[in-house]
Amino acid sequence: MRIEAVELVRLQLPFVSPFRTSFGVQTGRDVVLVRVVGDGVEGWGENVAGEEPLYSAEFVEASVLALRHHLVPRLLAAGDITPFDVARVLAPVRGWEMAKAAVEAAVLDAELQRQQVSLAQWLGGTQRRIPVGVSVGLHDHIDQTVTAVNRYLEQGYVRIKLKIEPGCDVDLVRAVRRAIGPDVMLQVDANAAYTLADARHLARLDEFDLLLIEQPLAEHDLRQHAQLARMLRTPVCLDESITSVQVAADALALGACSVINIKPGRVGGLLEARRIHDLCQANGVPVWCGGMLETGVGRAANLALASLPGFTLPPDLSASSRYFAHDITRPFELVDGCLEVPTGHGVGAVPDPQMLRDLDATVERLRI
Ligand code: NPG
């Protein structure tokens, strides 16, 4: 298809409650959506960059510049393209995986509207309903985390992920494990907050039968993750470190992890995400779909990805109401602990124009 115009749609969406991780507190999202128009169809993609460069180097303000000055002009100049061409067209620009992923998702959405097929079907998804997990942020007191965890379990979530940081780990996990019993799936996420010197301390988590510990060390510490993995019984999962299928292959070869969290935004798009899935599936490595506090636009695309057969662990894909009083798309709702994979053409979730107006979304239109 030929992309005739691209819009950058920007809006502020507050959270129902603040979300705290080892790298900071977030009270809402500064959302950038990419809308592409061409061949009589439109497509939407979500840029998941955060407001500050704390999770990774990419952040919203800068990724808008990358989109406006470097990525969108290349897309508009590319002529007739398929979704497979997007990554190649954008490759000369280094970095900006989240911005690139938003562009690719928007082109995929538009192309699949044209082909009248859903993203899940096109990707090769096999699951229609996905049992989902929830990510629980840090609180000031352990009791508050336990209360939040109990509330999420009552709502039906099948797996709990606890954010941890130095000073808020072993006692927290012990209290939560005691409260929920031995059978509920439980995992922790450090967001790169530890060093290898903490290895003996982190080994104290082994007794709580965790599914995994996610990203204990810094992004580039693959060799040190391999050393740590040998010292823990808890499986090590990587998130921030895995920025491409090539890094995934290196990490597995080094023994840096035995599980991978796949996020399309972190790896530059849904197609690279699927390559990581395929690599892991071929090597018997379990994967799960991570989340970046997406609106319905990104959530729908993640659900399609998470419907692929190798996604054997529950994703960080909660109901829209976990984060937002009003999502910008139709809300995703939990039914018996599951979210339904969208079946509409393309990504299967479109922003509601009235919601965009109510939120004073700004629209910047770029064309050749
Ligand atoms: O449910 O979408 C969700 C959020 C899941 O905890 C979650 N995401 O490190 O995986 C993470 C974390 C995150 C949040 C990362 C915000 C970056 C920004």
Side-chain angles (χ1 to χ4, degrees):
M1 67 180 304
R2 195 174 290 275
I3 308 298
E4 291 144 24
V6 176
E7 286 175 358
L8 305 181
V9 178
R10 191 162 175 182
L11 55 105
Q12 305 291 328
L13 201 59
F15 290 154
V16 287
S17 56
F19 186 68
R20 181 151 73 90
T21 64
S22 62
F23 58 79
V25 189
Q26 254 180 280
T27 55
R29 285 274 320 283
D30 182 351
V31 182
V32 173
L33 302 171
V34 173
R35 174 174 178 261
V36 302
V37 182
D39 291 358
V41 287
E42 62 164 19
W44 291 86
E46 178 169 348
N47 182 344
V48 296
E51 258 169 271
E52 294 183 87
L54 304 178
Y55 168 84
S56 69
E58 203 164 347
F59 63 105
V60 181
E61 199 67 43
S63 73
V64 168
L65 291 178
L67 283 162
R68 182 189 299 140
H69 297 297
H70 304 287
L71 300 175
V72 173
R74 280 177 165 78
L75 184 75
L76 289 170
D80 201 14
I81 54 159
T82 75
F84 292 103
D85 297 319
V86 175
R88 178 184 53 76
V89 165
L90 305 182
V93 178
R94 308 273 178 211
W96 310 105
E97 278 73 21
M98 295 176 184
K100 288 176 177 175
V103 173
E104 188 195 75
V107 173
L108 260 171
D109 187 28
E111 172 61 24
L112 300 184
Q113 306 284 340
R114 234 168 51 103
Q115 293 183 22
Q116 306 202 325
V117 41
S118 75
L119 177 62
Q121 199 183 339
W122 186 84
L123 286 171
T126 52
Q127 310 176 61
R128 298 165 61 148
R129 300 168 71 239
I130 300 183
V132 293
V134 61
S135 175
V136 183
L138 288 159
H139 294 87
D140 291 340
H141 302 289
I142 288 179
D143 292 354
Q144 295 170 310
T145 308
V146 171
T147 304
V149 165
N150 282 328
R151 195 178 62 237
Y152 291 129
L153 291 178
E154 271 166 36
Q155 291 171 9
Y157 290 101
V158 305
R159 181 275 281 151
I160 299 292
K161 158 165 143 179
L162 297 177
K163 292 290 187 180
I164 57 168
E165 67 181 0
C168 189
D169 43 35
V170 176
D171 292 344
L172 173 73
V173 175
R174 179 181 298 110
V176 170
R177 181 49 101 196
R178 192 174 291 154
I180 66 180
D183 298 332
V184 178
M185 288 187 267
L186 181 63
Q187 64 191 53
V188 294
D189 183 5
N191 285 114
Y194 295 87
T195 70
L196 195 53
D198 298 309
R200 288 166 67 106
H201 178 71
L202 291 173
R204 293 177 60 203
L205 294 170
D206 283 346
E207 65 173 291
F208 304 116
D209 196 21
L210 301 177
L211 274 182
L212 54 91
I213 177 168
E214 187 179 350
Q215 197 70 40
L217 312 180
E219 178 181 334
H220 297 293
D221 289 352
L222 282 190
R223 192 177 52 79
Q224 296 188 36
H225 272 109
Q227 274 178 274
L228 179 67
R230 287 195 290 274
M231 298 170 73
L232 304 182
R233 271 206 320 275
T234 306
V236 171
C237 168
L238 289 178
D239 171 12
E240 285 90 326
S241 294
I242 307 297
T243 50
S244 66
V245 67
Q246 192 178 334
V247 178
D250 288 351
L252 293 175
L254 276 170
C257 63
S258 52
V259 184
I260 291 182
N261 164 337
I262 302 183
K263 293 175 177 167
R266 196 193 63 227
V267 304
L270 285 155
L271 295 177
E272 187 74 354
R274 186 172 62 174
R275 281 181 211 110
I276 298 175
H277 160 274
D278 295 349
L279 169 82
C280 290
Q281 198 183 25
N283 287 281
V285 173
V287 301
W288 55 286
C289 182
M292 296 286 287
L293 314 160
E294 287 89 350
T295 72
V297 174
R299 205 161 289 271
N302 284 354
L303 275 165
L305 179 69
S307 73
L308 292 173
F311 282 85
T312 52
L313 294 171
D316 272 350
L317 269 167
S318 28
S320 301
S321 60
R322 154 78 181 89
Y323 293 108
F324 310 114
H326 303 284
D327 205 335
I328 56 171
T329 63
R330 67 174 170 83
F332 286 85
E333 282 161 10
L334 206 58
V335 179
D336 297 332
C338 294
L339 290 189
E340 251 178 57
V341 178
T343 52
H345 299 158
V347 168
V350 192
D352 172 11
Q354 186 58 47
M355 272 295 287
L356 296 184
R357 279 192 292 275
D358 291 349
L359 290 162
D360 290 328
T362 59
V363 180
E364 177 179 354
R365 197 174 172 91
L366 305 163
R367 47 197 327 153
I368 299 182

